[in-house]
Amino acid sequence: MKKLLSLLLIMVTIVVAVGGGCTTDKTTTANTTGKTTAKTTGPDYWPTTEWKTSTPEAQKMDANTLNDLGAGIDATGFAIDSVVVTRNGYIVYENYRNARYKQETVHPMYSVTKSVLGALVGIAIGDGTIPSLDTKVMEYYKDRTIQNMDARKESITVRNLLEMAGGLKWSEWSLPYTNPQNIWIQALNSGDTIQFVLDQPMATDPGTTWNYCGGYSYMLADILEKATGKDILTYATEKLFTPMGITNVRWNKDKAGKYESAGGLNLSSRDQAKFGQMVLYKGVWAGKQLVPADYLAAATTSHHATNAITGYGYESWWVATKEGYVYCNGIYGQRVYVIPDKNIVVVFSCNIPDPDRETQLRALVTKYVVASTNPVTASTSGATTKTSTTTTSKTTVNWQTTPTDLSTVTWKPVSYINKKWGFKLSYPSTWKIMQEGVRDTVPLEIQFNDPTPVPGSWVSILTDSDQANYTSLSVEDLMPFWFPDADVITTGTTVLADNTTPAIYSEFYATVDTYPMHLYTVGYTSGTSRIMFVVWTIEDTVPWDGVLLRQIAHTMNKATAAELAAATDTTIERTTAATTAATTTATTTRAPVATETTYTDSTYKFSLSYNALWTAWEADTSENPHRIFGAASADWVCPGVRIDRLPASTAPDLFKLIPFVLGTQAEAEKSSDENLTNPNGITATAHVIKYTSPTDGYRLDAKIFGFIKDGYWWTMIVYQSDGLGTLAGQNPDKIFNSWKFN
């Protein structure tokens, strides 16, 4: 499965904290600037080892109002995975609504990462490791040759980066992050993100215009690492995580092996609440000043208005100007709200694509959390060890009640019959069959044709060829080959749609290349074979939520004898649904397609034959022809074949060409040399290799053929995604044998 969303999903993230000096007064006040300031050295204990819990009443909160938060969330329809509310240092409300997440489970924070990074920068400024906020950024890049350099670029400061006001020409929100043309995705895919950002031209004077730029966060992390001599995880562990008792940390790396400083941090909701608590008490933790108070005061003050109701502080600290509190903000609804005048921290860990999430999340905080602190008749008996919680969990649709009448579904179905294995299923008309017949154990893959091939599905068939007994099937058998660390939501036994064949199903989560996947699998036995249908998406991606995954998976069924007899294709029979979603019975049979097609290159005078399901999607006429024939399109070209021509002086042997052909950071494991001559007189050296893509971490099996002709190295690579089929299934030697020059 291709790595999803090449860094998937980077966007807004923020928090805003308080100003003022520390005193021993445990009251809270509002200053004359309208910014709230908590006057306290801390709660009556520090949750370094463990949080204490309390009834809402003991913290002068109305329990009914606070506990209505669960119903309020239900009313939004938002996929909110967990909520933690603290007051006066005690957890008063904790609600894990998604079965995958528990108190100790880390959750993607996305751009809330920037707020943690900003705190680290503040620490380094406080101890002089970074001289000051006004330190010139270019002082750290004297060893680089930077494009578009001018006086304005020379004047960019650390403060400008923190405020997202560096002045570079940058438009990160004009395209979605799933679009490879998004400038931030281009930066991540460039091979040198820092150089890409530094080379951008200037648009405005530094400090004058707010413009969201993930590249500024990367520069800040890079400067921090240069100044401290430590990577950001090591520095964060030393300066923040260890003092605060945060031990369960996952910080994702980018394709270049650097910690993803703009959105890669994962902490549990309780540990995120610790971060909010530290900010609430002006950088103090357990009596020690971790982050300078004056820095946090500036970080949580609005320096630029982003709209009528929100301002921006430093590095993803946002100020709710109407409500008077600050918060960290990450894409899909990650929030850490700090409400100083109420001594409250609220953490939302979510998966909300809805662009209106900010307005509604603020409304939840105001209506249920802040409102619960209004004067009420409450007990003051003191803290207890019982947390006020609700038990609402993610809705799970029972397999047997999922609709089987496809006229009621929101996706237009295409039917599929596999004669060899005797099963049938339906899949959405927007999906394409990416490969089939690769090997007996993976006879079919149906996958969505998208830059990140999600959602999608595959059928896996395990036979008794290895003498294993496959006459039975357990729930655990549905996932161990691909997802050994799966987090199961629900499992059970049922029957297929024929109401006869016993089957089992499992809905679960798994992390694939750091991305949270939501999967549904159904399996049954046929003779001595196991047949399993897996449908997946990025966790809670709308509209491909769990309900639709189950709808698709539930179409898996045994084909009837009549259906198999009517199928004319020796391997498969596909029919397309009628154009109206209301009618799914009128279908037409697709004629069998040719197995091969031929590509003729008029510029470089060569031709070859390849899989007819593939598309010749790139064929430029530059010095390097760089021809690629992929399984579908430029968005998803695996399996496929690629041809390059490079000057023979580029490398003395074929294996040393790999970095030039596959990327400068290619990591490849090669077999011994093989010398081949095809029927058309081309003699080549060949290697079978395992390759890790430097741009997205994707693993490939490939066979590379190379030879020198007329002073140029010609190379052909036939490749297959690691784990989705065998290289032999693509028959690279057959493709090489078809290659000829006119």
Side-chain angles (χ1 to χ4, degrees), residues 273-570:
K274 287 184 179 182
F275 180 71
Q277 186 90 333
M278 182 271 296
V279 172
L280 179 67
Y281 292 108
K282 303 183 188 69
V284 172
W285 190 268
K288 181 180 179 181
Q289 191 77 46
L290 299 185
V291 184
D294 57 351
Y295 175 86
L296 280 180
T300 56
T301 297
S302 176
H303 303 289
H304 301 274
T306 61
N307 56 44
I309 62 171
T310 308
Y312 195 86
Y314 289 167
E315 198 55 8
S316 211
W317 276 104
W318 301 74
V319 181
T321 51
K322 178 182 177 182
E323 294 88 347
Y325 49 72
V326 298
Y327 60 100
C328 309
N329 178 342
I331 193 173
Y332 303 127
Q334 318 320 312
R335 298 292 187 274
V336 179
Y337 291 97
V338 178
I339 310 174
D341 64 334
K342 301 294 185 182
N343 245 28
I344 284 175
V345 173
V346 181
V347 176
F348 284 115
S349 296
C350 310
N351 219 312
I352 310 170
D354 191 331
D356 190 41
R357 56 183 172 259
E358 178 55 41
T359 301
Q360 296 207 47
L361 287 173
R362 283 199 205 180
L364 290 172
V365 171
T366 300
K367 183 175 181 180
Y368 300 104
V369 180
V370 174
S372 71
T373 65
N374 294 334
V376 293
T377 303
S379 167
T380 57
S381 58
T384 71
T385 57
K386 182 179 180 180
T387 304
S388 176
T389 64
T390 63
T391 57
T392 306
S393 60
K394 178 174 290 189
T395 301
T396 300
V397 176
N398 184 283
W399 169 274
Q400 297 198 31
T401 62
T402 302
T404 56
D405 178 5
L406 296 188
S407 66
T408 66
V409 303
T410 58
W411 47 280
K412 296 180 181 179
V414 174
S415 61
Y416 173 97
I417 295 177
N418 189 296
K419 291 191 69 173
K420 180 176 181 180
W421 297 102
F423 67 82
K424 63 180 180 178
L425 54 83
S426 295
Y427 61 91
S429 61
T430 54
W431 294 11
K432 297 181 185 299
I433 293 181
M434 308 305 291
Q435 65 182 32
E436 51 194 345
V438 175
R439 59 181 179 179
D440 283 350
T441 54
V442 186
L444 169 72
E445 180 183 9
I446 303 172
Q447 198 159 16
F448 188 56
N449 182 19
D450 187 81
T452 56
V454 175
S457 63
W458 78 70
V459 174
S460 179
I461 295 176
L462 305 178
T463 68
D464 62 354
S465 58
D466 61 355
Q467 307 304 312
N469 178 11
Y470 286 155
T471 57
S472 63
L473 185 64
S474 67
V475 168
E476 290 74 19
D477 291 326
L478 292 178
M479 59 198 72
F481 296 96
W482 307 280
F483 311 109
D485 299 319
D487 187 1
V488 177
I489 301 171
T490 184
T491 61
T493 59
T494 185
V495 292
L496 295 182
D498 61 7
N499 293 318
T500 301
T501 305
I504 62 174
Y505 65 91
S506 180
E507 183 175 7
F508 58 99
Y509 292 108
T511 300
V512 180
D513 292 333
T514 76
Y515 296 100
M517 301 294 294
H518 188 172
L519 304 99
Y520 204 102
T521 304
V522 58
Y524 68 99
T525 60
S526 178
T528 57
S529 299
R530 296 172 176 170
I531 300 178
M532 292 173 282
F533 186 30
V534 184
V535 189
W536 71 80
T537 187
I538 289 289
E539 183 180 326
D540 295 320
T541 302
V542 174
W544 298 104
D545 57 12
V547 175
L548 289 177
L549 295 181
R550 288 184 284 274
Q551 286 180 342
I552 296 169
H554 188 64
T555 67
M556 167 60 81
N557 199 8
K558 283 188 173 180
T560 65
E563 289 169 330
L564 294 173
T568 56
D569 191 308
T570 57

Side-chain angles (χ1 to χ4, degrees), residues 78-337:
F78 285 166
I80 295 179
D81 297 326
S82 62
V83 186
V84 172
V85 179
T86 75
R87 192 178 199 199
N88 303 324
Y90 291 86
I91 293 179
V92 293
Y93 181 93
E94 190 170 27
N95 183 355
Y96 293 88
R97 302 169 55 83
N98 180 334
R100 184 184 183 192
Y101 293 100
K102 306 173 181 64
Q103 288 181 357
E104 67 279 3
T105 310
V106 298
H107 193 285
M109 295 164 65
Y110 300 114
S111 285
V112 175
T113 303
K114 295 182 176 75
S115 301
V116 176
L117 172 64
L120 298 176
V121 172
I123 293 170
I125 291 173
D127 64 18
T129 303
I130 295 175
S132 76
L133 286 167
D134 296 317
T135 298
K136 296 292 195 302
V137 168
M138 296 305 158
E139 290 294 316
Y140 293 92
Y141 297 108
K142 293 179 179 180
D143 59 335
R144 288 184 180 254
T145 300
I146 299 172
Q147 303 299 313
N148 300 302
M149 182 61 74
D150 59 18
R152 292 188 297 178
K153 188 176 286 190
E154 287 277 8
S155 69
I156 298 173
T157 65
V158 171
R159 186 195 306 272
N160 298 149
L161 300 186
L162 289 165
E163 293 180 4
M164 293 283 182
L168 293 179
K169 184 179 180 181
W170 192 274
S171 182
E172 189 165 320
W173 289 349
S174 61
L175 294 172
Y177 288 106
T178 53
N179 189 322
Q181 297 306 310
N182 178 292
I183 191 169
W184 178 233
I185 303 306
Q186 290 185 57
L188 291 174
N189 290 337
S190 67
D192 189 340
T193 302
I194 296 297
Q195 188 68 48
F196 183 94
V197 177
L198 288 170
D199 284 344
Q200 298 308 303
M202 297 296 292
T204 61
D205 291 341
T208 61
T209 305
W210 183 86
N211 185 25
Y212 196 83
C213 173
Y216 295 153
S217 300
Y218 256 60
M219 291 174 67
L220 286 168
D222 190 56
I223 290 169
L224 189 66
E225 291 186 350
K226 289 176 182 292
T228 65
K230 302 172 182 178
D231 63 61
I232 55 173
L233 177 56
T234 299
Y235 191 68
T237 300
E238 175 186 330
K239 298 295 185 178
L240 280 181
F241 298 152
T242 297
M244 296 168 65
I246 297 174
T247 58
N248 188 11
V249 179
R250 189 178 76 212
W251 203 320
N252 302 334
K253 291 185 177 181
D254 64 16
K255 302 156 196 171
K258 301 280 288 183
Y259 288 109
E260 213 285 78
S261 54
L265 184 58
N266 299 256
L267 297 176
S268 69
S269 295
R270 283 190 164 206
D271 284 344
Q272 291 180 58
K274 287 184 179 182
F275 180 71
Q277 186 90 333
M278 182 271 296
V279 172
L280 179 67
Y281 292 108
K282 303 183 188 69
V284 172
W285 190 268
K288 181 180 179 181
Q289 191 77 46
L290 299 185
V291 184
D294 57 351
Y295 175 86
L296 280 180
T300 56
T301 297
S302 176
H303 303 289
H304 301 274
T306 61
N307 56 44
I309 62 171
T310 308
Y312 195 86
Y314 289 167
E315 198 55 8
S316 211
W317 276 104
W318 301 74
V319 181
T321 51
K322 178 182 177 182
E323 294 88 347
Y325 49 72
V326 298
Y327 60 100
C328 309
N329 178 342
I331 193 173
Y332 303 127
Q334 318 320 312
R335 298 292 187 274
V336 179
Y337 291 97

